Amino acid sequence: MRLVQRTSLRPEARAARDFLAIEGLPLDELRALLARAEELLPVAVGDARGERTLEGRVVANIFFEDSTRTRVSFEIAADRLGAAVVNLGASGSSASKGETLVDTARNIDAMGVDAIVVRTSISGGAALVARHVGCPVINAGDGRHEHPTQALLDALALRLRLGKLDGRRVAIVGDIANSRVARSATHALVALGAHVHIVGPPSLVPVGFAQIASGAGSISITHDLDSIIHDLDAIMMLRIQMERAAASGIAPDYRAAYGLTSARRARLRPEAILLHPGPVNRGLEIDDEVADDPRSSVILAQVSCGVAARMAVLLRAMPS
Ligand code: NCD
């Protein structure tokens, strides 16, 4: 038997099956993914059984950066759809011997997997992998660049509580500069018509961030959380990215100015909801009792939505 080189996806097929970023994703595709994820939610959380549409397919999770929620929810999403999953981390794989991300991905691709899910500390790393493998590639977070499935789950969790996002006021607070979550969420929310307040200390909010996205919604930047907090429909607190923060670390007065303390939370409208992508630095960006308040916190609902969002993305990557 002669082994043949796997054929790569043609560029048009790649665009329809890779999921690398929210930036540039057509609005109808974003809406279709959200609608599909919402439909799949009962199956995602185990309340209903769905069709095992991806039976016989193999998904490779290449996670070269630590993760709890994202890796496990991709795994559960694939499992609910009947696909098999192989998991590869940086330790326990040849990455620890110096193999590059691209070489690892090409080797996994050569084994005939049907999709690769990649998490890496390299900004742009998912697109880099997609240029070198034949199968579809899904970005599970690449450095400071994007985390597109997180934006889907954020939008879904918001929609379930707020209905339409058109005209809603959502603040994204914290370490904007180092946050792929903030970038992807901003693209998605602006596309869906929300007004996004970007909030953080000047050192953690890139100049020009207000211009990164365009759509029916808008973006404004403020360094003063207390000046806008009373007016929000939702507030998304970001984790301080200790692993990406400059050596100078985080200012000691960060919590006083930007933390969602119990006192500050009292200034939110009673119906406003609270999001956080996890993992939470309790007592830094958010107080315990605020994070755990079932009336306003949708942090765990976001995690449930994550399984549904990833199911929708896997189905798009591997159409029947
Ligand atoms: C985020 C990530 O890794 O980008 N976590 C996640 O995927 N839920 C956010 C973070 O690490 O702060």
Side-chain angles (χ1 to χ4, degrees):
M1 186 183 106
R2 199 167 64 88
L3 284 175
V4 288
Q5 189 78 29
R6 295 193 75 206
T7 46
S8 288
L9 290 171
R10 292 190 319 280
E12 321 80 74
R14 224 173 228 301
R17 292 168 67 173
D18 283 342
F19 195 59
L20 303 176
I22 300 291
E23 182 174 12
L25 184 73
L27 181 57
D28 57 341
E29 286 208 46
L30 175 60
R31 288 194 193 286
L33 280 165
L34 284 171
R36 193 169 215 183
E38 190 165 349
E39 260 167 47
L40 289 165
L41 204 49
V43 180
V45 298
D47 283 350
R49 289 184 73 81
E51 284 178 46
R52 297 175 69 77
T53 323
L54 298 184
E55 192 94 58
R57 310 288 186 111
V58 181
V59 177
N61 271 341
I62 302 180
F63 274 62
F64 280 3
E65 226 188 31
D66 292 343
S67 168
T68 300
R69 280 150 288 269
T70 307
R71 187 179 62 73
V72 174
S73 70
F74 266 110
E75 206 170 331
I76 293 174
D79 185 70
R80 298 257 191 250
L81 293 165
V85 182
V86 290
N87 279 305
L88 215 73
S91 71
S93 77
S94 294
S96 66
K97 301 178 186 166
E99 185 170 72
T100 65
L101 172 66
V102 166
D103 276 338
T104 302
R106 292 182 70 201
N107 279 270
I108 299 296
D109 185 44
M111 294 183 212
V113 299
D114 297 285
I116 289 177
V117 178
V118 63
R119 165 163 292 196
T120 167
S121 58
I122 303 169
S123 301
L128 179 71
V129 168
R131 285 198 292 278
H132 287 89
V133 299
C135 68
V137 174
I138 297 168
N139 182 4
D142 60 339
R144 297 178 175 84
H145 174 230
E146 280 225 28
H147 192 352
T149 58
Q150 178 74 38
L152 281 185
L153 74 86
D154 291 338
L156 182 57
L158 282 164
R159 258 185 27 174
L160 293 176
R161 283 288 284 261
L162 301 177
K164 279 172 82 98
L165 298 187
D166 204 32
R168 295 296 192 172
R169 288 146 308 186
V170 182
I172 304 180
V173 183
D175 189 353
I176 308 291
N178 291 302
S179 177
R180 54 195 176 207
V181 173
R183 289 178 68 82
S184 290
T186 301
H187 283 292
L189 293 175
V190 171
L192 295 167
H195 178 77
V196 178
H197 289 281
I198 294 294
V199 188
S203 59
L204 293 178
V205 179
V207 175
F209 200 89
Q211 278 80 49
I212 69 159
S214 58
S218 56
I219 311 175
S220 62
I221 292 180
T222 176
H223 305 300
D224 181 5
L225 177 56
D226 293 325
S227 68
I228 54 139
I229 196 161
H230 57 278
D231 198 32
L232 299 173
D233 295 298
I235 184 166
M236 179 188 296
M237 304 305 295
L238 299 173
R239 180 177 69 90
I240 290 290
Q241 308 269 298
M242 300 296 188
E243 73 279 27
R244 291 186 232 282
S248 51
I250 299 303
D253 54 355
Y254 180 87
R255 182 182 128 87
Y258 298 104
L260 195 52
T261 57
S262 297
R264 183 166 280 126
R265 172 253 165 86
R267 289 180 231 150
L268 279 167
R269 297 161 68 215
E271 64 275 28
I273 61 172
L274 154 70
L275 299 92
H276 190 302
V280 173
N281 291 311
R282 286 175 178 264
L284 175 54
E285 67 257 3
I286 188 165
D287 279 3
D288 276 346
E289 59 271 28
V290 184
D292 297 333
D293 180 350
R295 277 176 309 143
S296 54
S297 170
V298 298
I299 296 175
L300 290 175
Q302 286 174 273
V303 179
S304 305
C305 288
V307 178
R310 285 155 187 145
M311 287 173 75
V313 169
L314 289 171
L315 287 169
R316 177 177 174 276
M318 292 171 277
S320 36

